[in-house]
Amino acid sequence: MVFGFSMPTRNIGEIVALMPEASTPDQTSELKDGFSGDVDFPYANFKVLATVGEIDPVTKKALTGYPDGQAAWLKDNDTVRVAYQSESYATMSNETYPWLMETGVKFTGSHIHFIDYDRSKFASFLNDNSGPASQMFKTSGELFDRVFNAFGLEVKPKNTIKTDLAAKWGNQTNPDGTIVEFISGSPASGTTPAVKDMRLTQGDFFFHSFCGSWYEPANKYGAGIGLADDVWLTGEEWNIGRSMFADPDGSGPLTGTDVANGTMGLASIVVDIKNEVAYTAPALGQAGYEKLMPINSQNKDYVLIVASGYNHDINPAPLKVYVGRKGYDANGAVIDQASATVSERDKFLARNGLLYGQLYGMAADSATFATLGITTVDADTKMLDSYLTNASAPTTFSARYYPTSFRWDGFNTPEAVKDTEVFRWAQDGDTSSTGIKEANSQPTGYTFFNSDTKVEHPAADPDITKSRYVQNHTATGALIGVDFNLIAKEIGANDLDKNGLPDYLSANLTRILSGANGALTVDTGNKGVGHFDAKLNPNLQTAQKHIEANKNAMVAPDGLFWAKASDADVLIVDEDSGNDFGERKFALRIDPVTMQVLPDATGYFLAQAGGEKNPRALAGVAANPGDFQKARGSEFSGSWDVTGLVTRKADGTFYTKAELAGTGNQIVESSRPLDEHVFIGVLQQSTESGGAVAANKADYGGQIFQFNMDIPTGTPVYRLLDRADGSHFFTNNVKERDAITGAGFTYEGVGFNTPNKGTQALYRFYNSSKGGHFYTASEAEKNALVATPSSGFALEGNIGNVWTAGSAIAGSTPVYRLFNAGSGMHVFTTSQLERSTLLAPSTGWADEGIGFNV
């Protein structure tokens, strides 16, 4: 085994060796300390922006890890600001160096870093042969230097005076101001094992595990719609009691988790980016989140925020969103933004809808549960998990999002997290074995569609006219889409109780991928080879499946991002599964209307990383020489589209900050093809946590990078069902699709995508005598029909270019052609399932082979 050696700390951007890998190392050059592994990525290109442990050359402060959650925006017209946060756990992992606030209070644990880059160099960085990212580095720092706690007070250095609520932080403070101290530790004694001292040494308090951040610009959905300020949303993540608090009664039944449930819980944090101030916003909840992500409320008076997370590790609970009313205080009274007597805290939170609001959970009625195969409706069980893993269940259903009876009512009436909504989702009036009847918090006629609370990243639809998002259901490996299609009518008007908030929100749900084996196969482009293991992977299986789980499906999906290009909608997925053979980062093309994966059940491999079987770890090497510590797992953790920041206009100039404000950035991004899109992403690489990372108190290793994708794309050809005769109609014209949808036709989604490099026209004919359309990629067949007008077929032109079956390129998708002699109709499909179903005995359909390839 070759171990690394100590090297001087590098400045931000100096390290060029990549942590992401295209395949397991199989060359000696890929096992050298300070060098990359295999970086011959099949469908992507990566380049290092910064590495955890590197330091700012002026402040000498290091970038900390795990990196988790990132975004970028224009600081000014010449500067791109990249921000990311570290998912750090203080003494549960390694304390980071102190983050000092203006008041003198210090925080260890998670940091939120920004790194400023020269815009012109940043725009060309990925595709030129320039040197390291340090050549475009300007400065770095932390995103805020003032922070307010769950009591609404600016935090100052810690003390134990109960009435001094400013000297407290919620994750170790009870509602009455009592500090709950962390475990003090003790040495081993006889048969009693040693207890680790969990008290902090690097700060008064700690920010626990900031996870899955979201940057939201003001007026993103149009003037006055969405948040009023540019904000960074983040949250502490999960119940810390399992590690940080002692069992209060020595031997149970109470545990440290119960102690944590009695505190103010975990902070939901909203950063006022302009003024560099962070506010705890208890209206968003105190139970901890993986991600808080706004989507379009379709109303200037309300905000709608997806609240995805662990419910303080209290199971089960439903998928959740937050609805907030803008301009109101916690009691539902209007706030005067011009008043000198109203605090800046309340002005900021109120205008962003974060003082008066409520959390809503997904619920269904008994008929819906029955349709989905849920035979026993019980709020105490994980019903959504059962549905998501039942591959034969319907893929779409309708639901409603209802609140419980709890609503946060102000900083002056603090509640412990256990007294908020967290237990109410499962309360359905059961009587316990001791005869005690619990409350019933279920909405009338509905039951919360509860599930395992391990649900991680959601992703917002970049189409700013929609109110949709997709959600990774991490516990089952499924992916589900949520569309608040009636929100414009409901959010401001559906209010029978006259409290200023909707009684419920209606939603259409789409299961995009089930958690069942066979739901997904990843196209690795002949790369993605897993690490060798004589027992578990002797034949070097690839990332087309999850090797360790031996499953063709997503396994513990975490990071998720939805990118919209002019030629494709793409979900970028990151798994967090403990895969010894390298965690996967891959892309899913989806139909922008139905949200279904294209081609069916297929993803595209972007990169892999880490794993305890990784030969680089076994050789003791790292991207930065000397940083190897111990072979562990890795995790990609999110992506962010920076295309609007790097795109030049026709005259060669960049879009200005003003032009990208509001809806501008989304418009620019969606106007560019996918191969012109540029992203940033992060990788958590705990294997590389020694050396400079440890010396600089940066916790766990990782990397921030730029990347792009070159996955198969093309022009979508939409398929519609003619309800009159049962035939299928295909068009690549969106206006034609929309004009006939509902007018006798049912939209069925994208039938296939015609490739940009196809060499053969796909012709469309209309039969004027019998009705219906016919499609062919055969020049001979086309010419014969044109030469025979009596056949009734009239040529309408072509709907894109394809490949004939005999000239198809490797990796292309066959489109099967079937004929029904009785009706005279043809069917064209890429689905093997549809093909085999139609070819069953006595159906009347005959197989005509492959019509063409796409």
Side-chain angles (χ1 to χ4, degrees):
M1 180 178 293
V2 179
F3 290 95
F5 50 92
S6 179
M7 289 286 287
T9 298
R10 310 287 186 90
N11 290 333
I12 292 174
E14 286 188 346
I15 295 170
V16 297
L18 278 165
M19 293 179 183
E21 298 175 71
S23 230
T24 195
D26 59 2
Q27 303 291 327
T28 302
S29 61
E30 297 165 356
L31 296 173
K32 295 175 63 177
D33 211 18
F35 290 81
S36 302
D38 184 339
V39 292
D40 183 19
F41 301 100
Y43 293 124
N45 181 33
F46 291 82
K47 198 170 181 181
V48 182
L49 286 173
T51 302
V52 173
E54 291 180 325
I55 63 170
D56 184 296
V58 175
T59 67
K60 305 303 179 183
K61 291 183 178 179
L63 300 177
T64 63
Y66 286 138
D68 192 341
Q70 69 271 240
W73 58 90
L74 292 182
K75 177 180 180 291
D76 54 52
N77 287 330
D78 299 315
T79 308
V80 172
R81 171 158 289 183
V82 171
Y84 85 93
Q85 58 193 29
S86 58
E87 179 187 349
S88 188
Y89 324 120
T91 47
M92 287 181 277
S93 53
N94 310 290
E95 287 186 85
T96 55
Y97 61 83
W99 182 356
L100 178 65
M101 303 295 160
E102 282 187 0
T103 62
V105 68
K106 297 175 182 177
F107 284 82
T108 183
S110 292
H111 290 242
I112 306 180
H113 301 278
F114 70 78
I115 311 170
D116 289 347
Y117 296 98
D118 177 275
R119 186 182 187 184
S120 181
K121 294 179 180 178
F122 186 88
S124 60
F125 178 65
L126 188 61
N127 296 313
D128 64 20
N129 294 316
S130 63
S134 57
Q135 295 183 4
M136 60 182 181
F137 170 83
K138 287 189 171 183
T139 188
S140 72
E142 308 268 18
L143 209 55
F144 58 85
D145 54 18
R146 298 175 61 201
V147 62
F148 286 68
N149 62 20
F151 299 104
L153 301 173
E154 185 167 7
V155 185
K156 65 182 186 181
K158 174 184 174 183
N159 67 48
T160 57
I161 302 170
K162 286 178 63 174
T163 56
D164 190 1
L165 298 179
K168 307 294 186 291
W169 188 247
N171 64 23
Q172 68 171 113
T173 308
N174 290 338
D176 66 357
T178 301
I179 289 279
V180 187
E181 295 294 353
F182 297 138
I183 297 170
S184 59
S186 60
S189 176
T191 59
T192 303
V195 176
K196 181 182 177 182
D197 192 333
M198 305 303 291
R199 292 173 296 180
L200 307 177
T201 66
Q202 298 296 311
D204 299 277
F205 306 108
F206 84 105
F207 292 131
H208 165 55
S209 184
F210 285 164
C211 216
S213 62
W214 187 263
Y215 165 72
E216 184 82 353
N219 304 306
K220 180 177 177 179
Y221 309 102
I225 305 178
L227 299 184
D229 295 273
D230 296 344
V231 306
W232 179 277
L233 288 157
T234 189
E236 296 179 305
E237 190 179 11
W238 36 262
N239 189 316
I240 65 174
R242 68 187 83 166
S243 300
M244 298 300 288
F245 297 122
D247 182 337
D249 50 13
S251 59
L254 296 179
T255 66
T257 296
D258 296 298
V259 176
N261 286 340
T263 69
M264 296 293 290
L266 302 171
S268 301
I269 290 179
V270 185
V271 181
D272 177 353
I273 290 175
K274 178 181 178 181
N275 294 304
E276 300 179 353
V277 181
Y279 297 98
T280 298
L284 286 169
Q286 299 166 216
Y289 292 107
E290 177 78 18
K291 183 178 283 187
L292 293 162
M293 181 194 71
I295 59 176
N296 191 355
S297 68
Q298 307 281 348
N299 192 302
K300 293 184 178 181
D301 297 326
Y302 294 87
V303 296
L304 180 62
I305 299 174
V306 180
S308 176
Y310 297 161
N311 198 52
H312 220 237
D313 295 344
I314 296 164
N315 266 299
L319 302 183
K320 297 183 288 290
V321 298
Y322 168 84
V323 178
R325 193 173 187 188
K326 295 163 71 174
Y328 286 77
D329 68 14
N331 296 313
V334 175
I335 281 203
D336 183 359
Q337 291 285 331
S339 173
T341 62
V342 178
S343 68
E344 289 303 314
R345 176 201 72 189
D346 284 359
K347 289 179 180 178
F348 173 82
L349 292 174
R351 66 176 175 262
N352 289 290
L354 300 173
L355 280 181
Y356 189 74
Q358 205 160 7
L359 287 163
Y360 291 64
M362 186 174 75
D365 59 19
S366 56
T368 300
F369 283 120
T371 300
L372 299 180
I374 307 297
T375 56
T376 301
V377 179
D378 184 356
D380 296 305
T381 63
K382 300 175 182 179
M383 295 183 290
L384 185 61
D385 299 44
S386 298
Y387 163 68
L388 291 173
T389 53
N390 179 2
S392 62
T395 58
T396 60
F397 64 95
S398 296
R400 289 180 176 178
Y401 279 63
Y402 280 98
T404 66
S405 58
F406 178 78
R407 182 184 63 79
W408 180 78
D409 58 2
F411 291 111
N412 295 327
T413 56
E415 294 94 357
V417 64
K418 67 181 180 181
D419 296 321
T420 65
E421 74 288 335
V422 293
F423 286 105
R424 304 186 193 201
W425 304 114
Q427 290 177 347
D428 55 5
D430 290 339
T431 299
S432 71
S433 58
T434 60
I436 299 174
K437 187 177 179 62
E438 71 179 6
N440 189 339
S441 298
Q442 304 302 305
T444 302
Y446 282 74
T447 303
F448 287 118
F449 204 160
N450 287 336
S451 81
D452 193 293
T453 57
K454 191 171 178 60
V455 291
E456 305 211 355
H457 288 219
D461 187 342
D463 182 343
I464 54 178
T465 68
K466 300 289 196 304
S467 299
R468 302 195 304 176
Y469 72 98
V470 294
Q471 175 72 59
N472 269 335
H473 193 268
T474 308
T476 64
L479 187 66
I480 190 167
V482 183
D483 184 358
F484 292 103
N485 58 308
L486 298 179
I487 195 168
K489 297 179 180 179
E490 291 180 343
I491 197 165
N494 179 17
D495 186 19
L496 292 178
D497 60 8
K498 305 300 181 185
N499 70 348
L501 296 169
D503 298 330
Y504 62 83
L505 295 177
S506 301
N508 287 335
L509 286 297
T510 300
R511 188 180 64 191
I512 301 169
L513 289 175
S514 78
N517 192 15
L520 176 71
T521 297
V522 176
D523 179 346
T524 62
N526 298 315
K527 300 294 286 189
V529 177
H531 317 313
F532 174 80
D533 181 84
K535 181 179 181 181
L536 299 176
N537 193 23
N539 299 317
L540 295 178
Q541 295 184 86
T542 71
Q544 71 170 358
K545 68 191 305 181
H546 189 285
I547 298 173
E548 186 169 5
N550 192 30
K551 189 175 182 181
N552 282 95
M554 298 197 302
V555 177
D558 186 334
L560 184 68
F561 185 81
W562 187 340
K564 178 178 284 291
S566 60
D567 57 348
D569 278 58
V570 175
L571 297 176
I572 306 172
V573 182
D574 305 322
E575 290 176 321
D576 178 16
S577 65
N579 192 347
D580 285 348
F581 300 93
E583 292 290 14
R584 300 185 295 180
K585 186 180 188 77
F586 54 86
L588 303 173
R589 284 202 63 192
I590 61 170
D591 184 318
V593 177
T594 66
M595 295 187 280
Q596 292 300 315
V597 174
L598 304 169
D600 185 35
T602 300
Y604 296 97
F605 173 77
L606 300 179
Q608 63 190 39
E612 293 189 11
K613 307 292 186 183
N614 192 314
R616 285 176 57 80
L618 298 179
V621 302
N624 185 34
D627 280 2
F628 172 79
Q629 187 179 65
K630 179 182 178 181
R632 300 188 185 96
S634 295
E635 176 197 341
F636 293 99
S637 197
S639 305
W640 192 265
D641 199 335
V642 297
T643 303
L645 312 183
V646 302
T647 296
R648 294 181 184 271
K649 294 181 284 188
D651 63 3
T653 63
F654 289 118
Y655 289 90
T656 66
K657 188 176 180 181
E659 289 172 322
L660 294 177
T663 63
N665 186 65
Q666 297 296 109
I667 293 171
V668 173
E669 288 180 353
S670 62
S671 71
R672 298 302 193 273
L674 186 63
D675 61 8
E676 292 183 14
H677 278 236
V678 179
F679 303 89
I680 60 172
V682 295
L683 172 63
Q684 302 178 352
Q685 187 92 327
S686 58
T687 296
E688 303 183 30
S689 299
V693 178
N696 292 320
K697 288 185 166 53
D699 195 5
Y700 280 147
Q703 206 161 58
I704 305 94
F705 46 77
Q706 270 191 14
F707 71 101
N708 61 9
M709 291 183 286
D710 185 22
I711 66 173
T713 61
T715 302
V717 175
Y718 308 103
R719 184 171 119 162
L720 300 97
L721 174 69
D722 187 334
R723 295 195 296 270
D725 61 12
S727 65
H728 298 279
F729 175 70
F730 293 86
T731 179
N732 61 356
N733 186 308
V734 173
K735 291 182 178 179
E736 185 175 42
R737 177 199 72 188
D738 294 345
I740 66 173
T741 297
F745 287 82
T746 299
Y747 178 61
E748 295 183 301
V750 174
F752 47 84
N753 288 272
T754 53
N756 296 331
K757 298 178 182 179
T759 56
Q760 171 62 46
L762 176 61
Y763 299 105
R764 187 173 87 181
F765 287 83
Y766 176 66
N767 192 314
S768 57
S769 60
K770 296 181 180 180
H773 289 77
F774 174 69
Y775 309 84
T776 182
S778 165
E779 288 291 333
E781 195 168 35
K782 182 262 293 186
N783 292 335
L785 288 173
V786 170
T788 315
S790 60
S791 67
F793 284 98
L795 179 63
E796 292 188 325
N798 74 70
I799 56 172
N801 290 329
V802 296
W803 292 290
T804 59
S807 64
I809 66 170
S812 61
T813 301
V815 178
Y816 302 103
R817 174 171 146 173
L818 298 91
F819 178 63
N820 189 305
S823 65
M825 290 188 291
H826 285 83
V827 164
F828 298 84
T829 182
T830 61
S831 170
Q832 287 277 19
L833 177 61
E834 183 177 36
R835 180 192 185 204
S836 60
T837 300
L838 291 175
L839 291 176
S842 303
T843 61
W845 291 95
D847 188 4
E848 292 191 321
I850 297 173
F852 48 90
N853 283 61
V854 294

